[in-house]
Amino acid sequence: MDGLNHTRVTEFVFLGLTENWVLEILLFVTFSIAYVLTLLGNALIIVTIVFTLHLHTPMYFFLSNLSFIDLCHSSVTVPKMLEGLLLERKTISFDNCIAQLFFLHLFACAEIFLLTIMAYDRYVAICAPLHYSSVMNIRVCVQLVFALWLGGTIHSLVQTFLTTRLPYCGPNIIDSYFCDVPPVIKLACTDTYLTGMLIVSNSGTISLTCFLALVTSYIVILVSLRKQSAEGRRKALSTCSAHFMVVAFFFGPCIFLYTRPDSSFSVDKVVSVFYTVVTPLLNPLIYTLRNEEVKNAIKHLRQKQVFS
C-alpha cells in the first residue's frame, strides 16, 4: 500500500483529437468560434428571458436554466481542449482532472433532469391546460430546479467517489481530450470491472429512465393533439419539435457513451465532441430560430437598446 501511495499518479497526459498540427490549428479556430457562439447565444437567451416580462413563464424559466447549464457544461471541457490543441504536451493535474470529471457529470446530469422536467411542463400545458397555472406555479418550478441540482450533485459525487477510490500508480495517458470516468478508470492499478459496472448502471439508469420518460410524454402529447384545434396543434408541435431535437442531440451521445460496458470505439472522440461542443451551441440556435416569441423579444430588447 505504501508503494502505491508513493508512486501515485500526479498528472495525466491527453492524447487529444489528432497528432496532425495543421488539423489541430483548424480545429482550434473552429472550436474557438463555436465556443464563443455558445457563450454569446446562451447568455443572450438568459438576458432576453430575464428582461422580458411576458417570458416570465415556467417554460422560459426552464429554458433560461437550460442555457445556463449549457454555458457551464461547455466551459468545463472546451477551454482545456483549446489549450491542448496549441500544446505539444497536453497535461492536467490529478486534482484538476477529478474536478473536471465532477463538474462534467454535475452539469450533464442536471441537463438530463431539466430536459425531463421541460417535457413534463409541455405535457401539463398541452394535456391539462386548465390546471397548468396551479400545477406549474412558481413555487413548484423552483422546487423542481432545486431537485435537479440536488440530483445532479448526488450523481456526480457518486461518480467521483467511485473513480477516486481506485489506485492510480502506473499509466497516465488518457486517450481523449478531457477527463471522464470511463477513460480515467482504465488507468487504475487494479481490476475495475465491478466499479465500471456500478458506474455504467448509475449513468445508464439515469439516461435511459429519463429518455423513456421523455419519449412516453411525447407519445401522450401527440395522441392528445388530435383533440386540439389546427392552430393549437401547430403551436404545440412547434414547441415540442424544438424540444425533442434538443433531447435527441443530447441523449443520443449520452446513451452511446455511458450505457455500455467498459469498451471504446474509434468514434468515441467524435461523439464526445458533439456532446461537449456542438450540443451546447445547437440549443440556443434551435430555440431562437424556431421560437417566434424569443426572436421577437430579442428584437424588442435590441430596439430598446438602440433608442436608449
Side-chain angles (χ1 to χ4, degrees):
M1 190 69 181
D2 292 339
L4 289 178
N5 291 333
H6 181 69
T7 60
R8 184 176 180 85
V9 169
T10 58
E11 72 172 13
F12 293 108
V13 179
F14 295 128
L15 291 183
L17 293 172
T18 178
E19 295 181 357
N20 186 318
W21 69 271
V22 175
L23 185 56
E24 283 188 326
I25 297 299
L26 291 175
L27 290 175
F28 175 81
V29 173
T30 302
F31 292 152
S32 294
I33 295 172
Y35 181 56
V36 171
L37 291 177
T38 297
L39 297 181
L40 293 177
N42 284 293
L44 178 62
I45 288 181
I46 295 172
V47 171
T48 300
I49 292 173
V50 169
F51 289 100
T52 306
L53 290 179
H54 74 270
L55 295 184
H56 291 182
T57 62
M59 183 177 80
Y60 291 108
F61 172 68
F62 294 136
L63 178 57
S64 64
N65 277 272
L66 177 64
S67 291
F68 174 74
I69 291 174
D70 279 335
L71 194 151
C72 295
H73 189 201
S74 62
S75 297
V76 172
T77 57
V78 177
K80 189 65 179 177
M81 178 187 66
L82 294 175
E83 178 190 75
L85 289 171
L86 298 178
L87 299 176
E88 183 176 352
R89 181 175 168 82
K90 318 170 201 313
T91 62
I92 186 171
S93 69
F94 182 87
D95 291 339
N96 286 342
C97 179
I98 297 303
Q100 186 181 58
L101 182 152
F102 172 83
F103 286 108
L104 175 72
H105 280 266
L106 169 64
F107 295 123
C109 189
E111 182 156 349
I112 287 175
F113 289 145
L114 180 57
L115 290 173
T116 307
I117 291 170
M118 292 174 72
Y120 175 71
D121 171 70
R122 290 300 84 206
Y123 164 77
V124 177
I126 295 170
C127 298
L130 297 179
H131 302 286
Y132 182 73
S133 59
S134 60
V135 174
M136 300 300 295
N137 58 63
I138 186 62
R139 181 165 172 263
V140 171
C141 292
V142 172
Q143 288 174 341
L144 288 172
V145 170
F146 175 78
L148 75 86
W149 283 111
L150 179 62
T153 301
I154 293 173
H155 163 76
S156 192
L157 287 173
V158 170
Q159 298 287 301
T160 305
F161 171 74
L162 292 173
T163 303
T164 54
R165 64 185 288 273
L166 298 172
Y168 299 92
C169 54
N172 69 334
I173 298 177
I174 298 177
D175 188 15
S176 184
Y177 59 91
F178 66 97
C179 286
D180 199 1
V181 176
V184 170
I185 65 172
K186 288 181 181 178
L187 305 179
C189 307
T190 187
D191 179 47
T192 61
Y193 177 78
L194 180 59
T195 301
M197 291 305 296
L198 289 173
I199 289 171
V200 168
S201 62
N202 179 269
S203 299
T205 299
I206 292 173
S207 299
L208 284 176
T209 301
C210 290
F211 181 72
L212 291 175
L214 283 161
V215 171
T216 302
S217 69
Y218 283 119
I219 292 174
V220 174
I221 289 173
L222 290 174
V223 171
S224 69
L225 287 180
R226 293 182 301 178
K227 303 176 183 177
Q228 301 278 347
S229 64
E231 178 64 17
R233 283 199 298 270
R234 188 192 65 79
K235 290 183 66 176
L237 286 173
S238 176
T239 302
C240 290
S241 62
H243 187 221
F244 191 76
M245 287 173 67
V246 172
V247 167
F249 286 138
F250 186 79
F251 274 88
C254 275
I255 293 173
F256 179 81
L257 292 171
Y258 299 117
T259 59
R260 65 177 196 249
D262 184 22
S263 59
S264 59
F265 300 104
S266 57
V267 297
D268 280 0
K269 289 183 183 180
V270 177
V271 175
S272 295
V273 167
F274 194 87
Y275 167 63
T276 59
V277 181
V278 179
T279 301
L281 172 62
L282 289 178
N283 287 356
L285 292 177
I286 291 171
Y287 279 112
T288 53
L289 293 177
R290 296 179 60 86
N291 192 309
E292 289 297 328
E293 281 187 303
V294 175
K295 286 195 291 186
N296 291 333
I298 292 174
K299 291 178 183 177
H300 181 66
L301 283 179
R302 192 167 54 198
Q303 290 170 353
K304 285 177 61 177
Q305 183 65 29
V306 170
F307 291 139
S308 64

